[in-house]
Amino acid sequence: MYELIIAGGWLMLPIILSSIVVIAIAFERYWTLRPAKVVPPTLLGQVWHWLKQNQLTKENIHQLRSSSPLGTILAAGISNSAHGREVMKDSVEEAAAQVIHELEKNLAPLGTIAAIAPLLGLLGTVIGMIKVFTAIMIEGTGNAGVLAGGISEALITTAAGLTVAIPALVFHRFFERRVDSLVVEMEDQAVKLVDALHGDRVFRTEEGANG
């Protein structure tokens, strides 16, 4: 492995650094974007139970806001529920925008690496081929070692760039889809709370919360 890295030339350094970043972001996002952590399944029922029992104190709202991304959105809506439906919806949307921004954290660098890693590999290919043709111009085709070194550098960097880019692209698409799914679920639960508080919908999780 070390020999391959050396044979690939100096462009192997940014490719290796990119692979480390991809692995770090993938682990961090996988841990952060767990559905049970972002959208706790019993949280909305618990909030409704607090509301029905008049137990929604400032301490509970603070606890709700810091508990999860969904809790942040629900807490924003509850804090402004007394000002009317439209104000409550606006506060929910503002909180949701901030939450979505946090959920999408580090996805842009992941997409950037997926795009530039093949280009780094291609650059290594070009540099390797330049070395090959330079060696042919200077020494002719008789020095097979020099020719092989340039060709191997070209192929190694190309393979390394693709090896980093393919997983980065897969992770990027996977986490984008995960964020979209979580956002839809949070929006659905926020709408349920808004409608329930303003009498437009029967809150169906009430029995489960009280049970």
Side-chain angles (χ1 to χ4, degrees):
M1 180 62 70
Y2 179 75
E3 290 76 10
L4 287 176
I5 294 174
I6 296 300
W10 64 270
L11 276 171
M12 290 295 290
L13 179 59
I15 292 175
I16 291 173
L17 292 177
S18 297
S19 69
I20 295 173
V21 173
V22 168
I23 293 172
I25 292 176
F27 276 108
E28 187 272 336
R29 287 291 89 187
Y30 185 80
W31 181 259
T32 301
L33 297 178
R34 289 172 295 157
K37 180 180 179 181
V38 178
V39 188
T42 62
L43 184 61
L44 187 57
Q46 180 64 55
V47 170
W48 186 247
H49 178 69
W50 284 341
L51 287 168
K52 297 295 288 184
Q53 301 298 323
N54 293 320
Q55 296 176 348
L56 200 60
T57 62
K58 290 183 178 180
E59 291 75 14
N60 285 339
I61 293 177
H62 178 73
Q63 176 185 350
L64 177 65
R65 182 177 289 110
S66 59
S67 65
S68 64
L70 175 61
T72 300
I73 295 174
L74 297 182
I78 292 170
S79 299
N80 294 276
S81 60
H83 301 291
R85 178 186 178 88
E86 292 305 317
V87 174
M88 184 178 180
K89 285 183 64 177
D90 289 342
S91 63
V92 165
E93 290 174 359
E94 291 175 3
Q98 297 177 358
V99 167
I100 292 170
H101 178 73
E102 288 298 317
L103 294 179
E104 292 177 341
K105 181 181 178 182
N106 293 331
L107 293 188
L110 200 59
T112 301
I113 292 174
I116 67 171
L119 298 179
L120 290 173
L122 179 60
L123 179 59
T125 300
V126 172
I127 292 175
M129 296 310 296
I130 289 174
K131 290 183 179 180
V132 170
F133 287 114
T134 301
I136 291 175
M137 289 173 53
I138 296 175
E139 303 184 23
T141 59
N143 192 337
V146 174
L147 299 180
I151 294 173
S152 65
E153 179 177 342
L155 296 177
I156 290 170
T157 52
T158 300
L162 292 175
T163 301
V164 173
I166 293 172
L169 181 60
V170 171
F171 286 134
H172 184 258
R173 295 289 175 84
F174 172 79
F175 290 125
E176 275 192 335
R177 180 61 181 168
R178 172 68 63 85
V179 169
D180 290 342
S181 176
L182 293 172
V183 168
V184 169
E185 190 170 354
M186 287 190 295
E187 288 177 349
D188 180 65
Q189 298 207 25
V191 168
K192 284 182 180 179
L193 181 64
V194 172
D195 290 346
L197 284 175
H198 291 277
D200 296 331
R201 179 183 300 186
V202 176
F203 200 88
R204 298 185 180 278
T205 61
E206 179 183 350
E207 292 181 3
N210 292 330

